[in-house]
Amino acid sequence: MPDSSVLFPLTPWEDFYSFVRPMAQECPIGIIDAAIRAACIEFCQKTLIWTREAACGDVIKGARVYKYNYKNDGVSIVMPIACIIRETTDNSILHHILAPTNRQDLDYYEPGWRLREARVPTKFFMLDSNSICLMEKPTESFKDGLHLL
């Protein structure tokens, strides 16, 4: 099987600067990076072009935080647009799609979220650049169950 980096080459954010910087000369780099990321995510969501799935491993009972796609070679990783928990039984596969959110919304709209548990979590958010956090603590483990798009 060919190397996935050949099939899906990653483009550094810096390659987009030449298109953005002339129109935003006084803008800080951090704001430009965030705008480029947001535009790329929106493009991928609306065109459905990004269908590359990353398997992150097992969903572990009681574990809320999961690492994925460690950064290397200075290449930034885009926030996943979907998180799926795949449950395999003897004769079927169930896909549980988790809704993306952020910590601020959870703290405001669902203040007790840190204490919640569920068999299968319902939401996720980015904890840092290479970690996701599930809203509820899973009360069950799923072998090879965590997948990101």
Side-chain angles (χ1 to χ4, degrees):
M1 177 157 178
D3 180 13
S4 64
S5 64
V6 174
L7 297 174
F8 304 103
L10 298 177
T11 301
W13 299 126
E14 294 79 17
D15 286 2
F16 294 99
Y17 286 172
S18 61
F19 301 106
V20 177
R21 292 294 303 254
M23 295 168 280
Q25 293 177 2
E26 302 298 319
C27 193
I29 291 295
I31 302 293
I32 291 173
D33 284 346
I36 291 171
R37 282 187 192 101
C40 289
I41 290 168
E42 181 181 359
F43 174 80
C44 291
Q45 287 174 328
K46 288 183 176 178
T47 62
L48 302 177
I49 196 169
W50 189 356
T51 57
R52 182 176 179 191
E53 184 175 306
C56 293
D58 301 341
V59 174
I60 301 167
K61 177 181 176 180
R64 184 176 296 218
V65 177
Y66 296 87
K67 297 271 187 198
Y68 78 99
N69 280 346
Y70 296 99
K71 288 185 173 185
N72 57 18
D73 300 328
V75 176
S76 297
I77 303 300
V78 176
M79 176 184 167
I81 59 174
C83 180
I84 300 167
I85 293 181
R86 204 168 272 154
E87 178 182 3
T88 306
T89 62
D90 290 338
N91 56 3
S92 66
I93 297 175
L94 299 173
H95 291 116
H96 304 279
I97 300 172
L98 282 60
T101 187
N102 61 65
R103 189 181 309 182
Q104 294 79 12
D105 285 351
L106 286 174
D107 288 340
Y108 185 78
Y109 295 110
E110 304 188 45
W113 71 269
R114 287 177 176 84
L115 302 174
R116 290 190 187 161
E117 294 183 350
R119 182 174 167 278
V120 177
T122 58
K123 295 181 181 178
F124 77 100
F125 65 91
M126 293 294 296
L127 189 61
D128 58 40
S129 61
N130 65 348
S131 301
I132 62 166
C133 182
L134 306 179
M135 183 175 94
E136 300 96 351
K137 272 189 197 172
T139 59
E140 199 171 308
S141 295
F142 300 98
K143 177 94 172 116
D144 297 321
L146 189 62
H147 299 260
L148 302 174
L149 285 177

